[in-house]
């Protein structure tokens, strides 16, 4: 079997012992993250006869091509967009005696591309001939995880932007405070302005600072979420309402180490609430005045009815008394008509 395609079995040291350059491979092979990695070694005097360590078949996801197919068993499986570039970089490392660091895609047995990282360094000391020792790693799971984290980060950024939220992270023991640029803007600060816990407290309205500090102390003591509304005074003297929400992070002993959260500007909301409260107060006052008017109108109506009844009784009594009677009321007709206007 050609050394280029020989596969190591259980006796890996024996396989390496048969290699003219085996002395440099054991230390590397012992650290292989198998089966996701393969090592190769190239003698510049025979650049087309690389030697390999690791399970090439498992790494390739299929049979290893014969040596007649070329020095690199994966040559026909490299993604077409990466094939020329990756081979040119490897040959440049050989001709210029320089390290090699590159990434390329390998088409698996199912036709789906896998992400590969290739790193190679020149070795040789004490008069030994220099050799290029390379490591190939399948990093497809790591790249997929990185891509997922990036997508999550993008979604989080989009959600924060849509909700107009700033983020903050407070290290309790060091009192270091990290604010996003949006959070700094909400406190009236420049995007790169330095911040710490003491400056945060100093930016609070003097009437709100004790309440905010008490809310923080309660959250740290209980481990419960922190939520508080407060006012901050900007450098231009204007007041702004903010709402901060956070959650303490505890260590293994249950001690709070840090707190992370978000902050939102609720100035417009507070203004709407104040305007609504003023409108409600005006409406209530108008309703009170309407009730007073209705009550007064009722009293006037009842009094008018009482006067009308009195007039009726007096008129009847006047008509029943003989003319010239001293008991006959002395009111004249005009005065009766005047009294009747209250009806």
């Amino acid at each position: 079997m050609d050394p280029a395609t020989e596969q190591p079995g259980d006796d890996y040291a024996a396989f390496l012992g048969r290699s003219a350059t085996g002395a440099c491979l054991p230390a590397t092979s012992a650290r292989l993250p198998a089966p996701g990695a393969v090592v190769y070694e190239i003698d510049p005097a025979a650049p087309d006869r690389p030697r390999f360590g690791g399970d090439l078949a498992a790494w390739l996801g299929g049979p290893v091509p014969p040596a007649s197919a070329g020095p690199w068993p994966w040559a026909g499986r490299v993604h077409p967009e990466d094939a020329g570039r990756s081979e040119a970089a490897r040959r440049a490392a050989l001709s210029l005696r320089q390290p090699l660091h590159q990434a390329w895609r390998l088409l698996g047995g199912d036709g789906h591309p896998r992400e590969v990282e290739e790193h190679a360094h020149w070795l040789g000391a004490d008069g030994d001939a220099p050799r290029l020792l390379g490591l190939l790693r399948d990093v497809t799971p790591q790249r997929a995880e990185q891509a997922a984290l990036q997508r999550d980060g993008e979604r989080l950024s989009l959600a924060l932007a849509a909700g107009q939220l700033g983020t903050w992270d407070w290290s309790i023991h060091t009192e270091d405070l990290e604010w996003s640029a949006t959070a700094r803007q909400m406190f009236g600060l420049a995007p790169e302005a330095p911040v710490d816990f003491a400056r945060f407290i100093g930016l609070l309205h003097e009437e709100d600072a004790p309440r905010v500090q008490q809310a923080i102390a309660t959250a740290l003591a209980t481990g419960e979420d922190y939520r508080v509304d407060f006012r901050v005074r900007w450098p231009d003297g204007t007041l702004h309402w903010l709402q901060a929400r956070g959650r303490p992070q505890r260590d293994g002993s249950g001690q709070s180490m840090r707190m992370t959260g978000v902050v939102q500007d609720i100035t417009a909301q507070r203004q709407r609430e104040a305007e609504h409260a003023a409108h409600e107060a005006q409406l209530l006052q108008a309703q009170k005045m309407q009730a007073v008017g209705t009550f007064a109108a009722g009293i006037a109506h009842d009094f008018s009815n009482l006067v009308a009844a009195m007039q009726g009784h007096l008129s009847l009594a006047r008509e029943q008394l003989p003319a010239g009677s001293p008991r006959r009321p002395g009111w004249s007709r005009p005065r009766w008509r005047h009294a009747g206007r209250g009806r």
Side-chain angles (χ1 to χ4, degrees):
M1 182 175 292
D2 190 274
T5 58
E6 183 176 355
Q7 296 301 303
D10 295 334
D11 191 3
Y12 192 44
F15 164 75
L16 296 175
R18 291 195 298 272
S19 171
T21 57
C24 70
L25 284 175
T28 302
S29 61
R31 297 192 298 270
L32 279 179
V38 167
V39 293
Y40 64 78
E41 190 173 36
I42 303 176
D43 182 350
D48 292 331
R49 294 182 60 83
R51 302 180 185 274
F52 298 97
D55 192 343
L56 263 177
W59 188 81
L60 289 171
V64 179
S68 59
W72 305 104
W74 55 80
R77 301 268 294 278
V78 180
H79 193 286
E81 295 178 0
D82 302 338
R85 173 182 55 81
S86 62
E87 177 62 20
R90 198 174 298 113
R91 292 194 176 279
L94 281 169
S95 62
L96 300 176
R97 303 288 178 92
Q98 62 186 14
L100 172 64
H101 302 285
Q102 66 172 341
W104 42 274
R105 289 165 292 178
L106 178 72
L107 298 178
D110 56 2
H112 290 92
R114 291 156 47 196
E115 300 286 340
V116 175
E117 282 186 358
E118 181 178 1
H119 304 280
H121 294 272
W122 286 92
L123 299 178
D126 299 329
D128 294 336
R131 301 168 302 278
L132 183 65
L133 183 65
L135 172 68
L136 298 169
R137 291 196 311 139
D138 184 344
V139 294
T140 304
Q142 294 91 323
R143 292 291 179 87
E145 183 177 356
Q146 291 172 359
L149 290 174
Q150 182 176 357
R151 290 193 297 270
D152 289 344
E154 292 172 352
R155 285 193 290 265
L156 176 59
S157 298
L158 181 61
L160 292 173
Q164 297 181 330
L165 298 172
T167 60
W168 53 269
D169 187 335
W170 175 41
S171 177
I172 297 168
H173 298 301
T174 64
E175 294 195 350
D176 291 336
L177 188 59
E178 295 182 7
W179 283 351
S180 66
T182 303
R184 284 180 168 86
Q185 182 181 6
M186 292 179 184
F187 281 82
L189 302 177
E192 302 299 328
V195 292
D196 55 21
F197 187 75
R199 184 166 192 186
F200 161 65
I201 296 298
L203 291 169
L204 300 177
H205 190 281
E206 55 274 11
E207 295 178 0
D208 297 344
R211 178 169 51 82
V212 173
Q213 290 176 295
Q214 181 59 49
I216 294 173
T218 300
L220 295 180
T222 63
E224 297 178 352
D225 288 355
Y226 156 77
R227 178 171 178 168
V228 64
D229 297 354
F230 51 85
R231 291 164 291 176
V232 295
R233 192 181 301 278
W234 283 19
D236 61 5
T238 58
L239 284 177
H240 297 257
W241 275 98
L242 303 182
Q243 181 182 89
R245 285 168 284 173
R247 176 169 297 173
Q249 308 293 327
R250 297 190 167 191
D251 59 17
S253 64
Q255 296 294 320
S256 295
M257 300 183 305
R258 63 192 318 109
M259 186 184 291
T260 58
V262 297
V263 62
Q264 184 177 24
D265 191 323
I266 59 171
T267 304
Q269 175 184 334
R270 284 284 184 158
Q271 290 174 345
R272 288 193 298 270
E273 291 174 354
E275 293 171 357
H276 179 72
H279 177 73
E280 290 289 329
Q282 292 175 354
L283 180 59
L284 180 60
Q285 182 65 22
Q287 291 173 340
K288 289 181 179 179
M289 295 303 297
Q290 183 181 11
V292 170
T294 301
F295 179 69
I299 293 177
H301 179 72
D302 292 343
F303 182 75
S304 178
N305 290 339
L306 178 61
V307 170
M310 291 173 62
Q311 288 177 344
H313 286 297
L314 289 174
S315 296
L316 182 60
R318 183 176 182 277
E319 295 297 331
Q320 291 177 353
L321 290 174
S325 172
R327 298 179 62 184
R328 187 182 182 92
W331 291 355
S332 64
R333 292 280 182 186
R335 292 180 64 184
W336 280 109
R337 288 195 298 270
H338 177 73
R341 292 175 186 172
R343 297 184 62 181

